[in-house]
Amino acid sequence: MRLNTLYFLAFDLGAESGRAILGKLEESKLQIQEVYRFPNGYINIRGRFHWNVYSLFAELKKALALCSQNHTDHIESLAVDTWGVDFGLLSKGGTLLVMPYSYRDPYTNGMVEDFARNVMPLDKLYQLSGIQTMQINTIFQLYALKKSNSVILSAASDLLFMPDLLNYFFTGEKKTEYSIATTSQLLNPYSRQWNKELFDAIGVPVTIMQEVVQQGLVTGYVDESIYLQAGLNPVPVISVASHDTGSAIVAIPAEDENWAYLSSGTWSIMGLELNQPIINEKSAIQNFTNEGGVEGTYRFLKNMCGLWLLHQCKKVWDADQAYSYDQLVLMASEAKPFKILIDIDAPAFLNPENMPAVIRTFCIKTGQPIPASHAEYVRCILDSLAMKYRMVMNQLKKFSPVPIHKLYVIGGGAKNKLLCQLTANALGMTVVTGPAEATAVGNIMMQAKALGYVSSLSGIRNIVRDSFGSSVYLPEDNSEWDRKEQFMLELAKCY
């Protein structure tokens, strides 16, 4: 690796906030600094949930100016990562036809069942895509638009996923990066190209899709009017793993192959890094997915609800009493464990107006006591998350080609000490935390690799391991988890 001081800018956009993170790479060590953080969230327009992508792009341009003013006026490159599945539709003239719908919009309600009845069996869909069936997936969003005779879809010439759309705003180039493409459930997992059979099945022309590109390419350059206004040099835009989880997995500080990962944030994503997809009857029944990784790898994983449950409870409580997340975790640590368990993936928890109320209703329906305090709500959520992780890990072990000795936890949840310890206890396995800003770190390091400053994924992980500290959680007595797991299995049958 060259020994210059190099700066890279990562735009990491989540469903609740966006971050501009500046990476400084020097002598095989990476330092990161938050340049700018801004809120995100869908907006409700007459009952439809949209992402205000124009506002997001304005925030990215503001971050470029702040980077130049306060840090450095020369960056090697930039890259964008976001959540998956959501997209914008462009006219023939390249104009965005409507602000992208959010995956939490109810327009996909009932679409999975309708698709299975009228288009094709879900097991065939899985064989064609290798992707976990979830109503939020792009295929069901497009199917919902087609069934409603959407004039927007009829007028669309191009589809761009959220990171691709923002890259298009920067560069004018229309391309789709591989990892984000796989979240659509419309890509052939073997050829890594669009599956025309699936587009034909839902009546949407495959011609609206873009060329699928791998990571490590310069896909364009920031428009001159933008970089000059920001006070920067001409900036190349790099294709990294633009699905945020894909970038996060890059930053796992692993040394061997005997590990699994948990990306812990709004969603919980647990899985394995493999060289081949696993697509068979068993993986279909257990609803595992094969998303695209870097360097030809596959992310064999399961998506679960995550700290969204806690975020939404806090949102309700903040109207009367504003807690910090540290306060909530401390309160939960003093609450009685296992008093209440919920199925975190029950449909009722997807997007309720009042999360505590929905938890209360769940408890009543399942014959459990109602939480008596905010501490009990939080403990219920954390216990339930850890229990779900245990159940999914037990499934993963049966698919893994090697023994799993360690779980790496990355993302914001890595800072939640109670959840990490509960996870170690539930799994009976050592838990090691990676960078809390793993997505931004992975984004930055793939930019460095694209420009020739790092040679391989293993080289990236060596730098991450040497640059960031980690915490280790050893498992404690898990006999109670054994007993409660059967109760959770029964709960899952109810939903």
Side-chain angles (χ1 to χ4, degrees), residues 280-338:
N280 55 40
E281 183 179 0
K282 188 174 180 181
S283 64
I285 291 171
Q286 296 185 4
N287 216 15
F288 277 91
T289 202
N290 295 268
E291 293 179 354
V294 302
E295 291 193 354
T297 60
Y298 292 83
R299 292 177 287 123
F300 182 72
L301 57 86
K302 182 171 285 191
N303 290 284
M304 302 165 277
C305 190
L307 291 167
W308 163 258
L309 295 157
L310 182 56
H311 300 331
Q312 293 306 105
C313 284
K314 182 180 183 298
K315 183 178 177 181
V316 173
W317 298 334
D318 281 352
D320 297 317
Q321 182 173 358
Y323 295 106
S324 71
Y325 285 108
D326 287 343
Q327 285 176 307
L328 291 172
V329 172
L330 178 61
M331 290 160 51
S333 68
E334 298 170 351
K336 182 180 178 181
F338 299 118

Side-chain angles (χ1 to χ4, degrees), residues 336-343 366-369 379 383-384 386-388 390-391 394 426 477-492:
K336 182 180 178 181
F338 299 118
K339 183 176 179 181
I340 306 157
L341 290 172
I342 60 174
D343 178 1
T366 55
Q368 299 183 84
R379 185 65 191 228
D383 281 347
S384 300
M387 180 61 79
K388 189 60 175 273
R390 172 190 172 95
M391 295 164 71
N394 287 340
D477 178 44
N478 67 353
S479 57
E480 186 69 6
W481 293 93
D482 294 336
R483 190 174 68 83
K484 288 292 185 178
E485 183 175 5
Q486 187 57 43
F487 174 72
M488 280 296 290
L489 290 170
E490 295 300 319
L491 275 187

Side-chain angles (χ1 to χ4, degrees), residues 213-449:
V213 299
Q214 293 295 321
Q215 307 87 13
L217 301 175
V218 176
T219 57
Y221 288 81
V222 173
D223 187 81
E224 184 179 33
S225 65
I226 297 174
Y227 74 72
L228 288 178
Q229 185 179 36
L232 287 168
N233 57 290
V235 183
V237 175
I238 305 296
S239 65
V240 298
S242 62
H243 183 216
D244 50 12
T245 309
S247 274
I249 304 312
V250 170
I252 289 174
E255 298 180 74
D256 56 32
E257 60 181 9
N258 300 99
W259 52 274
Y261 59 80
L262 172 65
S263 178
S264 179
T266 301
W267 291 90
S268 296
I269 302 170
M270 181 179 281
L272 306 170
E273 185 177 72
L274 301 175
N275 293 320
Q276 296 292 330
I278 298 176
I279 304 173
N280 55 40
E281 183 179 0
K282 188 174 180 181
S283 64
I285 291 171
Q286 296 185 4
N287 216 15
F288 277 91
T289 202
N290 295 268
E291 293 179 354
V294 302
E295 291 193 354
T297 60
Y298 292 83
R299 292 177 287 123
F300 182 72
L301 57 86
K302 182 171 285 191
N303 290 284
M304 302 165 277
C305 190
L307 291 167
W308 163 258
L309 295 157
L310 182 56
H311 300 331
Q312 293 306 105
C313 284
K314 182 180 183 298
K315 183 178 177 181
V316 173
W317 298 334
D318 281 352
D320 297 317
Q321 182 173 358
Y323 295 106
S324 71
Y325 285 108
D326 287 343
Q327 285 176 307
L328 291 172
V329 172
L330 178 61
M331 290 160 51
S333 68
E334 298 170 351
K336 182 180 178 181
F338 299 118
K339 183 176 179 181
I340 306 157
L341 290 172
I342 60 174
D343 178 1
I344 61 171
D345 289 318
F349 298 128
L350 181 62
N351 192 26
E353 291 186 10
N354 187 312
M355 185 66 76
V358 174
I359 291 175
R360 288 195 296 273
T361 300
F362 186 95
C363 291
I364 292 169
K365 287 184 176 180
T366 55
Q368 299 183 84
I370 294 172
S373 65
H374 293 169
E376 289 193 354
Y377 278 100
V378 181
R379 185 65 191 228
C380 158
I381 290 168
L382 299 184
D383 281 347
S384 300
L385 286 170
M387 180 61 79
K388 189 60 175 273
Y389 301 160
R390 172 190 172 95
M391 295 164 71
V392 173
M393 178 58 76
N394 287 340
Q395 294 173 334
L396 274 177
K397 287 177 178 177
K398 296 175 182 177
F399 289 105
S400 178
V402 296
I404 302 172
H405 298 153
K406 190 179 296 183
L407 178 72
Y408 285 97
V409 179
I410 52 177
K415 296 185 289 188
N416 189 322
K417 295 180 180 180
L418 177 57
L419 181 57
C420 288
Q421 186 61 61
L422 291 175
T423 301
N425 297 349
L427 273 55
M429 182 182 294
T430 299
V431 167
V432 180
T433 61
E437 294 286 359
T439 300
V441 170
N443 177 320
I444 288 164
M445 292 307 303
M446 284 303 294
Q447 291 183 58
K449 181 175 181 292

Side-chain angles (χ1 to χ4, degrees), residues 186-234:
L186 287 162
L187 204 74
N188 183 305
Y190 300 106
S191 70
R192 305 187 184 195
Q193 299 300 317
W194 299 116
N195 193 320
K196 188 174 183 297
E197 181 178 350
L198 291 176
F199 283 90
D200 290 345
I202 61 175
V204 174
V206 71
T207 53
I208 69 172
M209 308 307 290
Q210 313 308 308
E211 174 192 5
V212 178
V213 299
Q214 293 295 321
Q215 307 87 13
L217 301 175
V218 176
T219 57
Y221 288 81
V222 173
D223 187 81
E224 184 179 33
S225 65
I226 297 174
Y227 74 72
L228 288 178
Q229 185 179 36
L232 287 168
N233 57 290

